[in-house]
Amino acid sequence: MKKFLPAISIVLFPYAIVFMMYCISSGFLMEDVFQNNAYLCLLILILIWVVALICAVSICTVSLIKKWDFVELSRVNMLIKTISIPAYVAIFVIGVACMLTIFTFAISVALMILDAMAILLSGLIGLSAVKRCCDGKVLSTKQMIFYCVLQFVFCADVVASIIVYRKAKRKPAHY
C-alpha cells in the first residue's frame, strides 16, 4: 500500500480548491498567509496540481510497467474517486451560486476548469487500473476502451470505477 502514498495528492487537490474558495470568501488566512492576493491562492493551487499530476503520471507509468495487481489498483482508483465526492459537490454548489450574478460568473468558469484539472488526475489512475484489468483478462478490449473514456467523465467516472473494481474483485487469479 506504500506505493499508493502519492495518490493522496490526487485526493487533496479538489479539497484544496474548496479550501481556497473558503479562504477567499471568508478572509480566513487571506491577510496573514496570502497577503489578500487571490492570485497567490491560484498559484498555490496550480503548484498543488503540478505535484499531483507528477504523482498521477508516476503511479500510472509504474503500475503499467511493473504490472501491479489489478484488484489493488482498481480499489485505489475507486477510493480516490469516492473520497473526492464531497469536494466535487462543494465545488458544484459554489459554482452554481456564483453563476447567479454576472459579477461572479468568472469564478464559475474558473471552478469548471479546476474541476477538469482534478478529473484529469484521477482519470490517469483510472486509466491504468482499467488497462491492468484488461491485461488480467477481467475486461475485453472494447470494455477497456469504454471504461477508459468514462474515467474522464464527471459522475460516470465514479460509477465506472466501482463497476471495474467489482469485476476485478470477482476474478480469482491475479495477472
Side-chain angles (χ1 to χ4, degrees):
M1 247 357 226
K2 264 196 285 187
K3 59 187 169 192
F4 291 111
L5 280 178
I8 293 172
S9 64
I10 298 164
V11 174
L12 288 179
F13 180 69
Y15 286 98
I17 296 169
V18 174
F19 180 71
M20 291 298 179
M21 290 304 299
Y22 173 73
C23 288
I24 291 170
S25 66
S26 71
F28 176 71
L29 297 179
M30 283 304 292
E31 188 175 330
D32 298 332
V33 177
F34 302 115
Q35 289 82 40
N36 285 328
N37 188 346
Y39 293 116
L40 184 57
C41 289
L42 185 60
L43 176 66
I44 291 171
L45 269 180
I46 299 301
L47 289 174
I48 293 170
W49 182 79
V50 168
V51 168
L53 180 64
I54 291 167
C55 291
V57 169
S58 67
I59 289 172
C60 184
T61 305
V62 172
S63 68
L64 293 175
I65 291 171
K66 293 192 175 187
K67 300 189 183 300
W68 286 356
D69 176 45
F70 57 81
V71 176
E72 188 179 23
L73 194 55
S74 298
R75 181 174 167 270
V76 168
N77 178 47
M78 180 186 68
L79 287 172
I80 288 171
K81 291 180 183 293
T82 55
I83 290 170
S84 300
I85 290 172
Y88 285 123
V89 169
I91 293 167
F92 177 76
V93 169
I94 294 168
V96 168
C98 289
M99 287 184 82
L100 296 177
T101 70
I102 193 146
F103 303 110
T104 56
F105 185 77
I107 294 172
S108 295
V109 173
L111 288 174
M112 286 187 329
I113 293 167
L114 290 169
D115 247 355
M117 291 166 64
I119 202 165
L120 173 69
L121 298 173
S122 64
L124 289 172
I125 304 300
L127 199 71
S128 60
V130 170
K131 173 67 173 112
R132 287 294 304 129
C133 284
C134 183
D135 293 344
K137 307 294 186 223
V138 173
L139 301 172
S140 68
T141 304
K142 268 185 165 180
Q143 289 174 320
M144 179 191 72
I145 293 168
F146 177 70
Y147 287 120
C148 280
V149 169
L150 289 182
Q151 295 304 308
F152 298 97
V153 177
F154 287 109
C155 298
D157 65 330
V158 176
V159 175
S161 70
I162 293 169
I163 291 170
V164 169
Y165 172 66
R166 290 180 55 101
K167 286 182 179 216
K169 202 167 107 176
R170 281 191 230 136
K171 180 82 172 168
H174 296 254
Y175 181 74

